[in-house]
Amino acid sequence: MTDVTNKLPNSGRRSAIKKVGALAVGAAASPFIPALSGYAFGSDAPIKIGMQAHRTGIGASYGRWYERVATATTKLINEEGGINGRPVELIVEDDGTDPKRGAEVIEKFATLHKVDVAYGTLFSHVVIGSSPRAGELKLPYFVVSEGHHVASGKLNRYVFQPGITDVKSQVISMAPWVSQNLGKKVTMIYPDFAFGHDHRDYFSAAMKQQGGEVLELIAIPPTESSFTRYLPRIPRQTEVLYHVMVGPGVLTFVKEMGQFFGSSRPEIFGFIDSLEAVDFATPQLEFLDGTHFWEAHPRYAQQNQSEFDRFYRERVGVDENGASIDDPGDISTYSHMFGCWETLFILKQAMEASGYKSSTPADKQALIEAVESMEKFEHGRNHPQGSKVFNGKIHQSFGHQHISRVENSRLNVVHTTSIEDGMYEPEGDYTQMPL
Amino acid sequence: MDFGPFLLLASLEGLVQAAVLSLTALGLCLTFGVMRVVNVSHGEFYMLGAVIAWWAASILGPKYALSGYLIALFLAPCIVGLLALASERFVLRSLNYEPEATIVATIGILYIIQQTVLMSFGPDAKPVNPPFYFRIDFPWFGYSGYKLFVIGAAIVVLSGTWYVLARTRVGLIMRATQLDRDMAQAFGIPIKRVYAYVFAAGAMYAALAAVLIVPIRQAHYLMGADPLLMSFIVVIIGGLGSVRGAIVAAVLIGMSDGIISMFFSPTLAKMVSTLLVALVLVFRPQGLFGVKTS
């Protein structure tokens, strides 16, 4: 196969890189660029972003919030003049949190809606199911998934994850803290599919490096609705119980864990995924007091809350407890959905740097190369979760992680990792793949 | 955990599973036994029961969990029963209870119910507070007292059903209809009305099972698939149409599921149940307690 990238004039790529650099510096210097009046230049035809949303199926709580955040971000971008002077239109299609339908949605985006990019998928099995089709259709595909699949180098050059960190990075950055503060003998409970396997593989390895040991691995089918039967497999000498669960059964899982252990529980370290969209003040969750959770973006506004986080909450309609402003019982998926916000701003930045005009192969190539040439996103309004380092070779961002402690049904951050804590050697290089 | 307590927990979990399963399977078994209708929408009647329980609980709020629960216990089977009555009257009866046609029709009912719930109730799983909460503290592990109540409640309902079927006039009419439809009609039994009530009763069992289980699980629009599959497994193993067979098979499958899930893996438990079905179909197609038909 010929490497198409070599045929591109070098100057195009170089200038794109320069523009990205300039924009990044500009964005860092003044995060609040005054809004442009109307759409400054270019045609009025909108840039179409196809959002693959988990409106139904097991990812519905995430899907609802992802869609809200994407809508809020699009609105903000449009208020400020759109992308390259063109308005942005978000086209949302439900994928039912199902890999097969995910691939069909990608196809629909490319052929029916003729979108410029596809965007916004969370569940790893849907990402893995959709990516090959996105690659075949040469449709840039920006996921907000957390899984390690993008960074693993096993997908293709059209798939990016710039707005959220991946599981491998998250767990290796936190393993030292867990082993030093909670214990070295760990039992893991995780969902039995790609996302859970990332946890299993990378956290086990990271704990071993810290001199720790994983006693038992308990995989739970993602559609499971009853969990007590798995709990006796937790060995008695377990010092830390590590849990990460997704899907409609999460609350049942945590409640049954409480019934099982009562007051004689080991230390518990959970991924907030086990309780995203769930209120900590739900009856029977009191037993979680004193346990720890990973959070990417603290759900409860902390004392040192940044102005960016405040602005972001206001725009996406979330109060300081992480619940919807309209309905305090509607809890957000706060630790994930910021990725939708940040990804859209990255997309805007890259489209502007590459001078993206329409969905021609040349423009798409330039867009992909522009994203690949990005290196850093500064903490700011467009990146309210925190600064990030982007590795263009593996299409993945690296950022800060938080460990929070449950105190009076509220999460308070007790430790924040550095970006370097979560860095690892790249396992692939997408830039070597043909476009 | 030592073997003893481990087995105790596995058995308790198995019994809860068996309790709920015997109720849902009983409903499916009645409809098949009396009407010869394979009701594929059975799982959705179950789901609807859970959704109604959530609805009652959320209107009354967590303070009145017990009243909400009692209301749901009464209201859910009633509403679901009425809905089943309507679908029997307007769908199944129009198809003259043709076996193939009713399968397709009940698949249609399945989707209608599921999608209506999705559009109104939403795609999220929603928790329902148990009517009471106490944790039984065994020396080795804790267990929810409410789960024991579920087992007790199922035993009460099953005994009641047995009494009605075996000792009352209603039961006699149902058994007569099951045995020979034409002969029963010749003796003046209003077959159509019996069919309507049996179909409604079948759905009500599913709804009741769901109200019992929903405080342990959660209400979710996709929750009907698993009980439907398990009920079919139970009904096939027990013998299509045999109430006794359904209950024995439910206890068998529930317990084996509970114990195999815990000692080995839940996937293996599902494999064993499926294998059992295959074996029964090959070696004893009429099921454990079924009657051989020519």
Side-chain angles (χ1 to χ4, degrees):
Chain A
M1 213 184 271
T2 25
D3 190 347
V4 194
T5 47
N6 293 339
K7 291 181 187 164
L8 275 174
N10 275 335
S11 59
R13 180 166 182 176
R14 210 173 295 142
S15 68
I17 296 169
K18 275 185 195 157
K19 279 185 196 166
V20 172
L23 266 167
V25 170
S30 80
F32 295 100
I33 300 168
L36 299 169
S37 55
Y39 303 109
F41 56 91
S43 78
D44 277 349
I47 286 184
K48 291 184 186 172
I49 296 174
M51 181 174 194
Q52 201 181 30
H54 306 324
R55 272 187 179 159
T56 57
I58 60 170
S61 327
Y62 285 96
R64 180 175 68 243
W65 281 98
Y66 266 41
E67 200 176 323
R68 284 181 188 162
V69 172
T71 311
T73 320
T74 310
K75 191 163 169 255
L76 179 61
I77 290 177
N78 280 334
E79 281 171 17
E80 295 177 346
I83 297 178
N84 283 337
R86 289 166 59 193
V88 178
E89 184 188 348
L90 197 67
I91 298 169
V92 186
E93 284 276 353
D94 179 23
D95 60 22
T97 327
D98 176 75
K100 185 170 165 284
R101 269 175 70 183
E104 287 163 6
V105 165
I106 291 290
E107 213 161 275
K108 208 168 161 187
F109 280 149
T111 53
L112 181 73
H113 298 301
K114 305 211 185 309
V115 300
D116 294 279
V117 295
Y119 152 85
T121 326
L122 168 72
F123 270 62
S124 57
H125 60 320
V126 185
V127 172
I128 291 168
S130 306
S131 297
R133 201 71 193 107
E136 282 161 11
L137 293 164
K138 299 195 181 295
L139 180 66
Y141 181 37
F142 290 79
V143 302
V144 188
S145 156
E146 260 197 341
H148 178 61
H149 31 269
V150 178
S152 70
K154 287 177 186 149
L155 299 180
N156 59 63
R157 197 161 175 191
Y158 288 82
V159 190
F160 290 88
Q161 184 159 261
I164 194 165
T165 58
D166 72 312
V167 170
K168 182 172 179 178
S169 162
Q170 292 164 358
V171 299
I172 61 174
S173 69
M174 289 182 299
W177 192 91
V178 172
S179 71
Q180 284 156 25
N181 294 281
L182 300 180
K184 291 196 186 298
K185 291 180 178 163
V186 184
T187 293
M188 296 182 70
I189 303 183
Y190 54 89
D192 200 4
F193 69 107
F195 169 71
H197 299 167
D198 284 353
H199 278 272
R200 176 194 65 194
D201 298 344
Y202 301 120
F203 189 75
S204 306
M207 275 314 269
K208 270 184 205 128
Q209 254 186 0
Q210 298 297 321
E213 156 185 31
V214 174
L215 301 176
E216 180 76 41
L217 297 166
I218 305 176
I220 299 188
T223 50
E224 184 60 275
S225 56
S226 169
F227 305 89
T228 301
R229 55 173 88 166
Y230 298 90
L231 302 175
R233 283 177 48 201
I234 301 169
R236 203 177 285 163
Q237 59 275 34
T238 298
E239 292 168 0
V240 187
L241 182 67
Y242 177 105
H243 65 93
V244 49
M245 288 298 295
V246 290
V250 289
L251 181 58
T252 313
F253 167 72
V254 184
K255 279 185 179 174
E256 291 192 357
M257 200 158 69
Q259 277 160 3
F260 185 81
F261 284 121
S263 52
S264 57
R265 60 167 175 79
E267 287 291 348
I268 296 179
F269 179 81
F271 258 60
I272 192 65
D273 307 47
S274 294
L275 280 176
E276 278 285 61
V278 173
D279 194 348
F280 270 85
T282 304
Q284 299 180 39
L285 293 193
E286 303 83 11
F287 90 99
L288 285 173
D289 240 43
T291 70
H292 294 84
F293 277 92
W294 161 83
E295 288 190 288
H297 199 190
R299 176 192 294 186
Y300 295 87
Q302 303 292 308
Q303 281 185 343
N304 60 352
Q305 185 195 20
S306 70
E307 54 178 312
F308 314 121
D309 182 61
R310 201 169 298 132
F311 178 79
Y312 164 78
R313 277 180 202 257
E314 198 185 300
R315 292 297 296 214
V316 300
V318 166
D319 67 14
E320 54 187 18
N321 294 322
S324 162
I325 288 171
D326 304 324
D327 174 9
D330 186 2
I331 310 295
S332 68
T333 55
Y334 205 74
S335 257
H336 295 79
M337 64 196 205
F338 69 88
C340 291
W341 174 283
E342 300 201 2
T343 303
L344 279 183
F345 280 108
I346 291 163
L347 192 62
K348 173 179 156 79
Q349 190 179 336
M351 279 184 161
E352 290 180 347
S354 71
Y356 186 90
K357 285 196 181 63
S358 61
S359 63
T360 57
D363 275 17
K364 280 186 189 168
Q365 282 182 18
L367 171 65
I368 285 170
E369 286 168 352
V371 183
E372 283 172 349
S373 67
M374 291 174 157
E375 286 171 355
K376 207 168 179 329
F377 308 119
E378 292 296 340
H379 186 203
R381 194 203 64 175
N382 298 355
H383 299 282
Q385 189 264 344
S387 46
K388 290 180 188 59
V389 169
F390 184 71
N391 186 329
K393 285 186 176 170
I394 53 173
H395 292 187
Q396 178 64 53
S397 271
F398 295 84
H400 299 280
Q401 315 295 341
H402 306 282
I403 294 172
S404 302
R405 193 178 143 90
V406 187
E407 284 156 355
N408 299 321
S409 303
R410 184 192 147 87
L411 286 162
N412 295 324
V413 174
V414 293
H415 177 70
T416 300
T417 69
S418 71
I419 298 181
E420 290 69 34
D421 289 343
M423 296 288 237
Y424 52 80
E425 278 302 305
E427 294 158 35
D429 186 355
Y430 287 119
T431 59
Q432 298 302 312
M433 290 184 180
L435 274 161
Chain B
M1 199 181 276
D2 299 327
F3 181 78
F6 201 47
L7 187 67
L8 175 66
L9 182 60
S11 314
L12 285 173
E13 280 293 290
L15 274 175
V16 174
Q17 175 99 339
V20 177
L21 198 52
S22 54
L23 288 180
T24 35
L26 184 63
L28 196 69
C29 172
L30 275 182
T31 1
F32 183 81
V34 178
M35 304 168 68
R36 302 278 136 186
V37 164
V38 177
N39 180 15
V40 186
S41 58
H42 196 63
E44 304 316 305
F45 290 131
Y46 171 91
M47 177 270 286
L48 213 51
V51 169
I52 293 169
W54 170 82
W55 176 70
S58 63
I59 285 181
L60 289 175
K63 267 191 186 166
Y64 303 98
L66 181 61
S67 351
Y69 183 79
L70 292 177
I71 290 173
L73 217 45
F74 171 75
L75 214 58
C78 287
I79 296 176
V80 171
L82 284 176
L83 183 73
L85 216 53
S87 30
E88 195 276 344
R89 176 69 189 77
F90 296 109
V91 182
L92 301 187
R93 196 177 293 187
S94 334
L95 297 169
N96 207 20
Y97 312 104
E98 295 269 356
E100 290 88 352
T102 48
I103 289 181
V104 178
T106 49
I107 292 176
I109 296 173
L110 177 156
Y111 281 120
I112 293 171
I113 298 178
Q114 196 180 83
Q115 295 304 309
T116 313
V117 170
L118 172 61
M119 285 188 291
S120 49
F121 170 80
D124 293 319
K126 290 176 186 163
V128 175
N129 287 327
F132 55 86
Y133 178 71
F134 67 89
R135 181 173 171 274
I136 301 174
D137 234 336
F138 291 107
W140 319 276
F141 58 83
Y143 202 70
S144 148
Y146 178 76
K147 285 188 177 174
L148 297 183
F149 165 77
V150 171
I151 301 172
I155 293 175
V156 170
V157 175
L158 291 175
S159 317
T161 310
W162 172 82
Y163 180 80
V164 169
L165 284 178
R167 294 274 188 274
T168 65
R169 202 177 144 74
V170 175
L172 187 68
I173 291 174
M174 278 168 63
R175 280 182 291 141
T177 315
Q178 173 167 9
L179 220 54
D180 190 331
R181 173 183 166 167
D182 298 333
M183 190 60 86
Q185 193 155 29
F187 275 89
I189 291 176
I191 295 290
K192 280 187 180 163
R193 210 184 306 161
V194 173
Y195 275 17
Y197 290 152
V198 164
F199 194 72
M204 287 166 84
Y205 277 109
L208 189 65
V211 179
L212 287 175
I213 198 80
V214 76
I216 308 176
R217 310 275 167 84
Q218 294 176 68
H220 186 234
Y221 80 105
L222 290 174
M223 71 189 293
D226 205 39
L228 176 72
L229 181 70
M230 291 307 279
S231 301
F232 267 120
I233 289 178
V234 163
V235 170
I236 292 170
I237 292 177
L240 282 168
S242 161
V243 171
R244 197 185 348 155
I247 293 170
V248 171
V251 175
L252 190 77
I253 292 292
M255 291 298 285
S256 80
D257 195 78
I259 292 172
I260 298 174
S261 299
M262 292 216 350
F263 281 92
F264 302 99
S265 89
T267 318
L268 185 72
K270 288 272 184 302
M271 282 158 71
V272 168
S273 326
T274 321
L275 185 70
L276 262 177
V277 172
L279 289 177
V280 164
L281 285 175
V282 171
F283 295 107
R284 205 179 152 77
Q286 73 272 33
L288 297 179
F289 291 86
V291 188
K292 229 177 193 163
T293 45
S294 53

